[in-house]
Amino acid sequence: MRTTVAAVVMVMSCLIMVHADVKPQKDFSLQKFAGKWYRVGLAYDSPRFAPYRDRIKASMGLITPLANGNVNLTMWDITPLGCQSKMYQYEKTTVPGQFNYFSTRHNMVKDITVVETNYTEYALVLKHQVFNREYTQVALYGRNQRVRTDIIQKFKAFAQSQGFPKEAILTPPPAENCPPSGSGRQFLYPPPGVLMMLQLPSLFFLQH
């Protein structure tokens, strides 16, 4: 038992060292960070995700601060079933710009750090879960579906500094009509011919 505990502590110490240099945005303001964002860049090297990299589209998210300091994040993504939405609740920590949330799919708590943002154009976000490197992600969010070239380069450089290979760093094209313009619906039934794709893993859920 003591050996097991010692091994766990050692693994935790190593992972903390990997992310020790990653600090949240200085003087992070949740109110400024709230609102609509597009995920225009993603670094993710999960083996399950690799075969589907070329199918990823830029997704839209809406960040809503709660009175208790937590955050609701609603994300819209293209799936084989069409445009779907899912809400996540990020719990605040004692450090502004850092949040936790429980992934029901992966049955684990994940840490979210807003590494850098200017609030009006872009945000670099690091997501990771202790004990499982497979689920580490770096995301680039933009207030618009397209961001400046120098911001893209900043995102790629940061992702590589976190150990992601170039082929795992994506800048996907915009999603068309997701969420649907002029509609309050959060779900679209699949168009004819797409039902054959339903046996494929959902790209949306592979990323969360």
Side-chain angles (χ1 to χ4, degrees):
M1 181 66 179
R2 290 182 179 177
T3 302
T4 301
V5 172
V8 169
V9 172
M10 183 176 295
V11 172
M12 289 185 66
S13 298
C14 291
L15 286 170
I16 289 172
M17 289 178 63
V18 170
H19 296 286
D21 60 335
V22 178
K23 305 295 183 184
Q25 170 68 42
K26 184 178 180 181
D27 300 323
F28 177 78
S29 170
L30 181 55
Q31 294 303 317
K32 290 182 180 179
F33 195 68
K36 182 169 67 176
W37 290 93
Y38 294 92
R39 189 175 59 194
V40 296
L42 178 67
Y44 191 30
D45 57 359
S46 165
R48 290 190 62 205
F49 178 71
Y52 308 103
R53 287 172 181 159
D54 60 347
R55 301 182 188 180
I56 287 294
K57 303 292 184 183
S59 53
M60 194 190 89
L62 184 65
I63 291 183
T64 306
L66 304 179
N68 61 2
N70 293 343
V71 173
N72 279 347
L73 169 64
T74 304
M75 292 291 296
W76 286 265
D77 269 286
I78 290 292
T79 77
L81 289 173
C83 184
Q84 284 191 315
S85 71
K86 187 172 179 65
M87 180 180 289
Y88 305 87
Q89 185 170 102
Y90 290 177
E91 296 182 356
K92 68 176 182 179
T93 67
T94 56
V95 180
Q98 291 185 339
F99 302 88
N100 297 323
Y101 86 98
F102 181 77
S103 171
T104 54
R105 176 174 175 80
H106 295 136
N107 194 33
M108 63 182 68
V109 175
K110 299 185 178 182
D111 303 321
I112 309 294
T113 302
V114 181
V115 179
E116 182 178 330
T117 182
N118 64 0
Y119 302 103
T120 59
E121 290 182 287
Y122 76 95
L124 286 175
V125 178
L126 175 71
K127 177 195 299 183
H128 72 277
Q129 188 273 334
V130 177
F131 299 130
N132 201 327
R133 174 62 179 80
E134 178 181 342
Y135 298 113
T136 299
Q137 295 181 27
V138 173
L140 171 64
Y141 289 87
R143 288 296 190 183
N144 298 297
Q145 294 192 55
R146 300 187 186 280
V147 296
R148 302 194 316 264
T149 301
D150 61 308
I151 294 176
I152 294 290
Q153 295 306 315
K154 181 192 293 284
F155 156 67
K156 291 181 176 180
F158 176 70
Q160 288 182 294
S161 76
Q162 297 303 303
F164 288 95
K166 291 182 178 181
E167 62 271 17
I169 303 173
L170 314 177
T171 52
E176 295 183 6
N177 202 35
C178 182
S181 58
S183 171
R185 293 184 302 169
Q186 297 182 352
F187 177 84
L188 293 181
Y189 287 101
V194 79
L195 290 177
M196 62 183 294
M197 299 174 59
L198 297 185
Q199 294 181 347
L200 295 175
S202 167
L203 301 184
F204 176 85
F205 293 111
L206 280 174
Q207 301 165 60
H208 295 85

